[in-house]
Amino acid sequence: MELKLDLDKEYGLVLEGGGAKGAYQIGAWKALKEAGVKIKGIAGVSVGALNGALICMDNLERAEEIWKNIDYSKVMAVSDDTIKALKNKNFKSLGLTELINSGLQFFKDGGFDVTPLKNLISEVVGDEGEIRNSCRELFAVTYSVSDRKELAVDVRTSEIGTVKDMLLASANFLAFKNEKLNGKKYIDGGGFNNVPINVLLDHGYQDIIVIRIYGWGFDKERVVKIPENVTVSHIAPRQDLGGILEFDKRLARKNMTLGYYDAQRLLYGLCGKVYYIDAPNSEPYYFDRMMSELELLKYYIKDIVTEEGMETLTGYRTFTEKLFPKLAADFKLKTDWDYKDMYLALLEDMARRLKVKRFQIYTVESLFDEIKRKIKLQEEQNPVL
């Protein structure tokens, strides 16, 4: 595979806010790190600022450990069992008194007590030395309620002893109990600037990678004009990452894997909507493959073609004029689709139906071989009498 990013360049990383969805960012960073992409600086908001601190310290192992073992009680002073019972609507497992007391305490405190999150930040940041001495810049975006303005704090050069507070200020979600930090009140910066690409632009970055997780807040990237000399690349999920407060280790591990492979899509220009396919050849190659694999395609797609039936489909024109346009509509391909798009859509549809493993990088040849293997296995398990 050919790397699409220039490893001689230094990149700025924009990390969106989104609470528990932040595991995705760590998976994406792992792929960037493995590929040798140089990160010069990070602009993060909310969980993006917290992940940014780990990236600033170049501590991938610690980042993975945190997210692989995340739970509600690691962020908020709550019982994991209580939260999971509420999530699953399993009210029978909760005593009525416990349920009422939990609700009353929440309103009395003015939100969730995030002492566990404070402790986690304190543990990660330590004496601030690793962040302050890092070769990477880190900008944490927050909103000062006291000063009524958005702030993009240069964490490395902030006042000694304030790094932990500034990271917490950026992540001070509305559902969290809001306490003063250094005499001022702050709230999660995501409500005002959840994709702080402007921060890196203001600091002269010309090569920027944005890792989207689609959290709650204002997407400032949409209203920022990108200068002609700036290149912006995106890594983004194509499926729901779960809730902002869904701090579940199983979901976090899944989202890290998704982030890792979605970053590979950017790094190597991989094709596919669901699968990750290395397909560097031109359109004629894929048309020839479709025609040479006709019997297998007939076997599999016979239930989704025209009412005429597969046995009536003979000759190239029948396929190009009847079958492929219908499949293009079924697969919701773009109006300007070509035969490469069609072949990849067929492969993905067959792979999905046959439950082929998703998280792996395939060539079109290796994915086709896996599809054939699955079909053969299916035929052996369900022989025609």
Side-chain angles (χ1 to χ4, degrees):
M1 295 187 297
E2 180 184 349
L3 194 64
K4 302 301 180 182
L5 292 186
D6 187 347
L7 296 185
D8 291 329
K9 293 182 177 180
E10 292 184 318
Y11 293 83
L13 204 58
V14 177
L15 301 180
E16 181 180 3
K21 301 182 182 188
Y24 180 91
Q25 296 171 341
I26 297 304
W29 173 42
K30 180 179 182 178
L32 295 175
K33 184 177 173 65
E34 286 181 353
V37 175
K38 300 182 183 73
I39 305 298
K40 180 183 177 183
I42 309 107
V45 59
S46 194
V47 72
L50 303 181
N51 281 336
L54 291 160
I55 295 173
C56 186
M57 294 186 289
D58 201 28
N59 200 339
L60 176 60
E61 185 178 345
R62 182 69 176 116
E64 288 185 307
E65 179 188 347
I66 289 171
W67 282 106
K68 284 180 179 179
N69 297 288
I70 199 69
D71 230 326
Y72 299 96
S73 61
K74 300 283 180 65
V75 179
M76 304 169 283
V78 296
S79 163
D80 290 323
D81 291 338
T82 298
I83 294 293
K84 289 172 183 176
L86 288 170
K87 178 183 172 184
N88 297 325
K89 299 180 181 179
N90 184 16
F91 301 122
K92 290 183 179 180
S93 69
L94 296 173
L96 182 59
T97 301
E98 179 186 2
L99 193 59
I100 292 174
N101 287 342
S102 296
L104 290 175
Q105 192 63 45
F106 176 85
F107 288 109
K108 179 181 177 182
D109 291 342
F112 289 111
D113 178 357
V114 290
T115 298
L117 177 59
K118 293 178 186 177
N119 294 337
L120 181 59
I121 293 174
S122 181
E123 179 188 338
V124 169
V125 173
D127 64 0
E128 303 182 356
E130 279 191 77
I131 287 183
R132 293 192 182 278
N133 296 325
S134 173
C135 60
R136 294 168 175 160
E137 294 183 297
L138 174 61
F139 303 98
V141 177
T142 185
Y143 184 85
S144 172
V145 178
S146 302
D147 298 323
R148 297 183 181 180
K149 66 178 182 180
E150 177 188 325
L151 299 174
V153 180
D154 184 344
V155 175
R156 292 191 314 169
T157 61
S158 61
E159 186 180 342
I160 299 295
T162 63
V163 171
K164 301 166 195 174
D165 285 346
M166 286 300 98
L167 293 176
L168 183 61
S170 181
N172 218 343
F173 189 58
L174 294 177
F176 294 164
K177 182 179 178 181
N178 195 316
E179 298 176 344
K180 286 187 176 182
L181 301 170
N182 294 316
K184 294 185 178 182
K185 277 199 171 185
Y186 301 88
I187 57 174
D188 190 316
F192 302 88
N193 186 4
N194 206 33
V195 190
I197 191 170
N198 63 301
V199 175
L200 293 186
L201 292 175
D202 291 344
H203 285 83
Y205 282 75
Q206 294 184 336
D207 297 284
I208 298 173
I209 300 171
V210 181
I211 303 181
R212 298 300 309 267
I213 52 176
Y214 303 115
W216 171 87
F218 179 60
D219 183 351
K220 202 163 188 174
E221 183 184 9
R222 293 187 178 183
V223 298
V224 172
K225 184 177 180 180
I226 307 298
E228 291 184 2
N229 65 333
V230 172
T231 301
V232 180
S233 304
H234 291 80
I235 299 170
R238 299 180 181 182
Q239 67 182 63
D240 184 22
L241 299 179
I244 290 174
L245 294 178
E246 199 169 357
F247 293 101
D248 179 89
K249 60 173 68 73
R250 291 179 62 184
L251 179 60
R253 293 180 184 198
K254 178 181 176 182
N255 286 342
M256 274 199 289
T257 300
L258 184 64
Y260 179 81
Y261 279 94
D262 283 350
Q264 303 273 13
R265 194 189 297 282
L266 168 68
L267 286 165
Y268 300 103
L270 301 179
C271 299
K273 292 181 178 180
V274 176
Y275 288 82
Y276 303 89
I277 309 170
D278 181 26
N281 296 307
S282 58
E283 182 182 13
Y285 174 80
Y286 301 101
F287 182 80
D288 289 344
R289 283 194 67 90
M290 276 196 295
M291 294 301 98
S292 65
E293 295 158 3
L294 210 51
E295 290 305 315
L296 183 56
L297 295 183
K298 284 182 180 180
Y299 169 85
Y300 191 72
I301 62 177
K302 59 186 178 183
D303 60 327
I304 61 171
V305 295
T306 62
E307 296 177 357
E308 300 172 64
M310 284 301 302
E311 63 278 359
T312 67
L313 297 179
T314 57
Y316 279 11
R317 288 186 62 184
T318 305
F319 283 89
T320 58
E321 295 176 10
K322 292 184 178 180
L323 176 59
F324 292 154
K326 182 184 186 305
L327 289 177
D330 290 342
F331 296 149
K332 298 180 180 179
L333 298 182
K334 295 180 293 185
T335 54
D336 60 344
W337 62 270
D338 60 23
Y339 290 118
K340 179 177 181 177
D341 297 327
M342 174 59 64
Y343 183 65
L344 293 175
L346 283 166
L347 282 184
E348 286 203 283
D349 187 59
M350 288 191 287
R352 178 184 59 79
R353 289 169 178 246
L354 293 164
K355 298 181 180 180
V356 172
K357 180 181 176 182
R358 178 186 178 190
F359 292 118
Q360 179 175 322
I361 296 177
Y362 295 94
T363 61
V364 291
E365 296 82 6
S366 65
L367 183 55
F368 184 68
D369 287 343
E370 182 61 16
I371 288 168
K372 287 196 296 184
R373 189 187 71 80
K374 284 277 190 176
I375 289 176
K376 182 178 180 182
L377 182 62
Q378 195 175 75
E379 289 175 339
E380 290 173 351
Q381 294 174 343
N382 300 285
V384 178
L385 297 177

PDB file of all heavy atoms in Angstrom, residues 292-303:
ATOM      1  N   SER A 292     -15.413 -11.648 -15.424  1.00  0.00           N
ATOM      2  CA  SER A 292     -14.777 -12.957 -15.257  1.00  0.00           C
ATOM      3  C   SER A 292     -15.347 -13.712 -14.059  1.00  0.00           C
ATOM      4  O   SER A 292     -15.239 -14.936 -13.979  1.00  0.00           O
ATOM      5  CB  SER A 292     -13.264 -12.794 -15.097  1.00  0.00           C
ATOM      6  OG  SER A 292     -12.959 -12.107 -13.901  1.00  0.00           O
ATOM      7  N   GLU A 293     -15.957 -13.001 -13.138  1.00  0.00           N
ATOM      8  CA  GLU A 293     -16.521 -13.618 -11.931  1.00  0.00           C
ATOM      9  C   GLU A 293     -18.041 -13.710 -12.015  1.00  0.00           C
ATOM     10  O   GLU A 293     -18.743 -13.806 -11.015  1.00  0.00           O
ATOM     11  CB  GLU A 293     -16.114 -12.803 -10.693  1.00  0.00           C
ATOM     12  CG  GLU A 293     -14.613 -12.826 -10.449  1.00  0.00           C
ATOM     13  CD  GLU A 293     -14.131 -11.657  -9.601  1.00  0.00           C
ATOM     14  OE1 GLU A 293     -14.979 -10.865  -9.149  1.00  0.00           O
ATOM     15  OE2 GLU A 293     -12.918 -11.537  -9.413  1.00  0.00           O
ATOM     16  N   LEU A 294     -18.547 -13.727 -13.238  1.00  0.00           N
ATOM     17  CA  LEU A 294     -19.975 -13.652 -13.478  1.00  0.00           C
ATOM     18  C   LEU A 294     -20.766 -14.761 -12.808  1.00  0.00           C
ATOM     19  O   LEU A 294     -21.815 -14.529 -12.208  1.00  0.00           O
ATOM     20  CB  LEU A 294     -20.220 -13.689 -14.995  1.00  0.00           C
ATOM     21  CG  LEU A 294     -21.437 -12.958 -15.517  1.00  0.00           C
ATOM     22  CD1 LEU A 294     -21.506 -11.544 -15.009  1.00  0.00           C
ATOM     23  CD2 LEU A 294     -21.438 -12.980 -17.040  1.00  0.00           C
ATOM     24  N   GLU A 295     -20.277 -15.969 -12.871  1.00  0.00           N
ATOM     25  CA  GLU A 295     -21.030 -17.091 -12.319  1.00  0.00           C
ATOM     26  C   GLU A 295     -21.233 -16.931 -10.818  1.00  0.00           C
ATOM     27  O   GLU A 295     -22.302 -17.213 -10.289  1.00  0.00           O
ATOM     28  CB  GLU A 295     -20.306 -18.410 -12.621  1.00  0.00           C
ATOM     29  CG  GLU A 295     -20.342 -18.802 -14.085  1.00  0.00           C
ATOM     30  CD  GLU A 295     -21.758 -18.865 -14.635  1.00  0.00           C
ATOM     31  OE1 GLU A 295     -22.635 -19.427 -13.949  1.00  0.00           O
ATOM     32  OE2 GLU A 295     -21.983 -18.341 -15.729  1.00  0.00           O
ATOM     33  N   LEU A 296     -20.186 -16.479 -10.146  1.00  0.00           N
ATOM     34  CA  LEU A 296     -20.303 -16.273  -8.698  1.00  0.00           C
ATOM     35  C   LEU A 296     -21.266 -15.135  -8.395  1.00  0.00           C
ATOM     36  O   LEU A 296     -22.082 -15.223  -7.475  1.00  0.00           O
ATOM     37  CB  LEU A 296     -18.937 -15.970  -8.095  1.00  0.00           C
ATOM     38  CG  LEU A 296     -18.906 -15.806  -6.571  1.00  0.00           C
ATOM     39  CD1 LEU A 296     -19.469 -17.047  -5.879  1.00  0.00           C
ATOM     40  CD2 LEU A 296     -17.501 -15.536  -6.100  1.00  0.00           C
ATOM     41  N   LEU A 297     -21.207 -14.065  -9.182  1.00  0.00           N
ATOM     42  CA  LEU A 297     -22.114 -12.949  -8.961  1.00  0.00           C
ATOM     43  C   LEU A 297     -23.560 -13.370  -9.209  1.00  0.00           C
ATOM     44  O   LEU A 297     -24.466 -12.981  -8.475  1.00  0.00           O
ATOM     45  CB  LEU A 297     -21.740 -11.766  -9.869  1.00  0.00           C
ATOM     46  CG  LEU A 297     -20.372 -11.126  -9.605  1.00  0.00           C
ATOM     47  CD1 LEU A 297     -20.157  -9.942 -10.510  1.00  0.00           C
ATOM     48  CD2 LEU A 297     -20.259 -10.690  -8.147  1.00  0.00           C
ATOM     49  N   LYS A 298     -23.777 -14.176 -10.228  1.00  0.00           N
ATOM     50  CA  LYS A 298     -25.126 -14.690 -10.490  1.00  0.00           C
ATOM     51  C   LYS A 298     -25.635 -15.495  -9.299  1.00  0.00           C
ATOM     52  O   LYS A 298     -26.771 -15.361  -8.867  1.00  0.00           O
ATOM     53  CB  LYS A 298     -25.106 -15.588 -11.731  1.00  0.00           C
ATOM     54  CG  LYS A 298     -25.022 -14.852 -13.056  1.00  0.00           C
ATOM     55  CD  LYS A 298     -25.074 -15.868 -14.195  1.00  0.00           C
ATOM     56  CE  LYS A 298     -24.988 -15.184 -15.549  1.00  0.00           C
ATOM     57  NZ  LYS A 298     -25.047 -16.167 -16.647  1.00  0.00           N
ATOM     58  N   TYR A 299     -24.749 -16.320  -8.769  1.00  0.00           N
ATOM     59  CA  TYR A 299     -25.135 -17.173  -7.636  1.00  0.00           C
ATOM     60  C   TYR A 299     -25.605 -16.337  -6.456  1.00  0.00           C
ATOM     61  O   TYR A 299     -26.589 -16.667  -5.794  1.00  0.00           O
ATOM     62  CB  TYR A 299     -23.937 -18.022  -7.224  1.00  0.00           C
ATOM     63  CG  TYR A 299     -24.134 -18.737  -5.897  1.00  0.00           C
ATOM     64  CD1 TYR A 299     -24.782 -19.972  -5.844  1.00  0.00           C
ATOM     65  CD2 TYR A 299     -23.687 -18.167  -4.711  1.00  0.00           C
ATOM     66  CE1 TYR A 299     -24.976 -20.613  -4.628  1.00  0.00           C
ATOM     67  CE2 TYR A 299     -23.872 -18.796  -3.501  1.00  0.00           C
ATOM     68  CZ  TYR A 299     -24.517 -20.021  -3.459  1.00  0.00           C
ATOM     69  OH  TYR A 299     -24.715 -20.640  -2.253  1.00  0.00           O
ATOM     70  N   TYR A 300     -24.928 -15.234  -6.229  1.00  0.00           N
ATOM     71  CA  TYR A 300     -25.199 -14.497  -4.996  1.00  0.00           C
ATOM     72  C   TYR A 300     -26.279 -13.443  -5.127  1.00  0.00           C
ATOM     73  O   TYR A 300     -27.057 -13.229  -4.206  1.00  0.00           O
ATOM     74  CB  TYR A 300     -23.911 -13.840  -4.488  1.00  0.00           C
ATOM     75  CG  TYR A 300     -24.087 -13.305  -3.096  1.00  0.00           C
ATOM     76  CD1 TYR A 300     -24.170 -14.175  -2.018  1.00  0.00           C
ATOM     77  CD2 TYR A 300     -24.233 -11.944  -2.868  1.00  0.00           C
ATOM     78  CE1 TYR A 300     -24.366 -13.690  -0.751  1.00  0.00           C
ATOM     79  CE2 TYR A 300     -24.431 -11.449  -1.600  1.00  0.00           C
ATOM     80  CZ  TYR A 300     -24.502 -12.333  -0.539  1.00  0.00           C
ATOM     81  OH  TYR A 300     -24.713 -11.860   0.720  1.00  0.00           O
ATOM     82  N   ILE A 301     -26.357 -12.759  -6.262  1.00  0.00           N
ATOM     83  CA  ILE A 301     -27.287 -11.641  -6.363  1.00  0.00           C
ATOM     84  C   ILE A 301     -28.577 -11.994  -7.099  1.00  0.00           C
ATOM     85  O   ILE A 301     -29.359 -11.121  -7.437  1.00  0.00           O
ATOM     86  CB  ILE A 301     -26.626 -10.422  -7.044  1.00  0.00           C
ATOM     87  CG1 ILE A 301     -26.226 -10.775  -8.470  1.00  0.00           C
ATOM     88  CG2 ILE A 301     -25.450  -9.928  -6.254  1.00  0.00           C
ATOM     89  CD1 ILE A 301     -25.629  -9.588  -9.223  1.00  0.00           C
ATOM     90  N   LYS A 302     -28.833 -13.267  -7.274  1.00  0.00           N
ATOM     91  CA  LYS A 302     -30.018 -13.667  -8.037  1.00  0.00           C
ATOM     92  C   LYS A 302     -31.329 -13.217  -7.397  1.00  0.00           C
ATOM     93  O   LYS A 302     -32.338 -13.089  -8.076  1.00  0.00           O
ATOM     94  CB  LYS A 302     -30.033 -15.185  -8.223  1.00  0.00           C
ATOM     95  CG  LYS A 302     -30.042 -15.972  -6.911  1.00  0.00           C
ATOM     96  CD  LYS A 302     -29.911 -17.466  -7.194  1.00  0.00           C
ATOM     97  CE  LYS A 302     -29.860 -18.264  -5.900  1.00  0.00           C
ATOM     98  NZ  LYS A 302     -29.650 -19.699  -6.159  1.00  0.00           N
ATOM     99  N   ASP A 303     -31.315 -12.930  -6.092  1.00  0.00           N
ATOM    100  CA  ASP A 303     -32.550 -12.539  -5.419  1.00  0.00           C
ATOM    101  C   ASP A 303     -32.798 -11.037  -5.423  1.00  0.00           C
ATOM    102  O   ASP A 303     -33.810 -10.580  -4.911  1.00  0.00           O
ATOM    103  CB  ASP A 303     -32.533 -13.033  -3.969  1.00  0.00           C
ATOM    104  CG  ASP A 303     -31.366 -12.465  -3.184  1.00  0.00           C
ATOM    105  OD1 ASP A 303     -30.312 -12.262  -3.794  1.00  0.00           O
ATOM    106  OD2 ASP A 303     -31.523 -12.218  -1.979  1.00  0.00           O
TER     107      ASP A 303
END
